[in-house]
Amino acid sequence: MLGSNHHSTKLQNRSLVLKIICTRTNVSRIDIARQTGLSKMSITNIVSELISDGLVVEQTGQTAAKNGSIGRKPVFLSPGADRHLAIGLYISRDHATATLSNLKCEILCEKRCAFEFEESEISFTDKIKSLVHSVLDTGVASDKKIIGIGVASIGPLDIENGIILEPPNFHKLKSIPIGNILEKEFKCAVYTDNDMNAAALAEKLYGKAVNISDFAYVGVTNGIGSGIIADNTLFAGDMGFSGEIGHTSINFEGPKCACGNTGCLELYANIPEIVSQAGKSIILGMDSGLSELDEIVWTDIIKYAGAGDKLALNLIDRLCLYISIGLVNLINMFDPQIIYLGHDIALAGNLVTERLQSYLKDKTISSRYKSVPVEISAFGDKSPIIGSIAIVMDKLFNGVIPGF
Ligand SMILES: [Zn+2]
């Protein structure tokens, strides 16, 4: 640990121990020693400090009787009984969700608001502020300490300064200093990241990827994007613009994208596009059960595809074909162990994972040597919401939140 002084090493060790206790279950002091290589004495000191700060509690576990005699009951460590909470805020193109959660990333309360077709800067920030107030007003947080607010937002963002820059088709809003606005209103630390990066962090800290060092999270909703974990760390790039697979071109003669490029993947692979294709096909007279519905939504297409409706199946197949082109590029660039799918596409489950897996077969440079599984995220379509909380937790586990 070159260049680090005694104090920062102590802080790092404390954060690491807290991370293990919050993200694993049934953790004993011996488990922590095994996982960190820290001495028993250091662990005893750190754990005592975490207990006296109210961040950690001891719990006596049950143990099986051995040879007729009852063994000593193990003592497990877990996060303090919801004394510290985090606020998560997910901002998408058409709605926002605010949550309160404990240090195990368990949601204790959740509220959502929809955006109008076009919001002004004032109406947008008012809506966001009252949404966050609404989770605090539930009383869940009374007598609790708020460790910080995590904002998982549609990008592009200035992550360092907490600014929503100018997302395409986002109410013509630009340069919204969301970090400053929330810090002033709620008097606590605010951390912002892209919703795809946030979802990847959630998968790494609390989801299926706890023991996976290299993976990609791919979210498909109104657009498509990814968050990349390389060597156990979020790969952010220079300014946090990495993972934008939605703006890699799949057709250089294709339509112009709002980002400036042509034929971007996102123009083809997004959920509203698939829903609109369904409507167009029915107008053209395609035979499908979907024609009986007044209005088609994404979950209808999944439901009908699951029941064998040919049009619905074709639409999902087409969506998977487009996504697979992005995934081939991603696999060739990053060589992940696995890809997790989340945001709205997660609702389609096996309908998409199986198709994607077959489209990927034989198309990547590594396919002769390995296959890259495609699975649904542990948090399904809620992954960006859990991601917003994971942003704060990641800061906590890195010892950078003032006062924690
Ligand atoms: Zn683009």
Side-chain angles (χ1 to χ4, degrees), residues 246-247 257-261 264:
H247 298 286
C257 178
C259 75
N261 200 357
C264 284

CSV table of all heavy atoms in Angstrom, one decimal, residues 246-247 257-261 264, ligand 1:
chain,number,residue,atom,x,y,z
A,246,GLY,N,-25.4,1.6,-26.8
A,246,GLY,CA,-26.6,2.1,-27.6
A,246,GLY,C,-26.2,3.1,-28.7
A,246,GLY,O,-26.9,3.2,-29.7
A,247,HIS,N,-25.0,3.7,-28.6
A,247,HIS,CA,-24.6,4.6,-29.6
A,247,HIS,C,-23.4,4.1,-30.4
A,247,HIS,O,-22.6,4.9,-30.9
A,247,HIS,CB,-24.3,6.0,-29.0
A,247,HIS,CG,-25.6,6.6,-28.4
A,247,HIS,ND1,-26.6,7.1,-29.2
A,247,HIS,CD2,-26.0,6.6,-27.1
A,247,HIS,CE1,-27.6,7.4,-28.4
A,247,HIS,NE2,-27.3,7.1,-27.2
A,257,CYS,N,-28.8,9.7,-35.6
A,257,CYS,CA,-29.1,9.6,-34.2
A,257,CYS,C,-28.9,11.0,-33.5
A,257,CYS,O,-28.1,11.8,-34.0
A,257,CYS,CB,-28.3,8.5,-33.5
A,257,CYS,SG,-28.5,8.4,-31.7
A,258,ALA,N,-29.6,11.2,-32.4
A,258,ALA,CA,-29.4,12.5,-31.7
A,258,ALA,C,-28.0,12.7,-31.2
A,258,ALA,O,-27.6,13.8,-30.9
A,258,ALA,CB,-30.4,12.5,-30.5
A,259,CYS,N,-27.2,11.6,-31.1
A,259,CYS,CA,-25.9,11.8,-30.5
A,259,CYS,C,-24.9,12.3,-31.6
A,259,CYS,O,-23.8,12.7,-31.3
A,259,CYS,CB,-25.4,10.4,-30.0
A,259,CYS,SG,-24.9,9.2,-31.3
A,260,GLY,N,-25.4,12.3,-32.9
A,260,GLY,CA,-24.5,12.7,-34.0
A,260,GLY,C,-24.1,11.6,-34.9
A,260,GLY,O,-23.7,11.8,-36.1
A,261,ASN,N,-24.1,10.4,-34.4
A,261,ASN,CA,-23.7,9.2,-35.2
A,261,ASN,C,-24.9,8.7,-36.1
A,261,ASN,O,-26.0,9.2,-35.9
A,261,ASN,CB,-23.3,8.1,-34.2
A,261,ASN,CG,-22.5,7.0,-34.8
A,261,ASN,OD1,-22.2,7.0,-36.0
A,261,ASN,ND2,-22.1,6.0,-34.0
A,264,CYS,N,-27.3,4.2,-35.0
A,264,CYS,CA,-27.0,3.7,-33.7
A,264,CYS,C,-27.9,2.5,-33.3
A,264,CYS,O,-29.1,2.5,-33.6
A,264,CYS,CB,-27.2,4.8,-32.6
A,264,CYS,SG,-25.8,6.0,-32.7
B,1,ZN,ZN,-26.4,7.6,-31.1
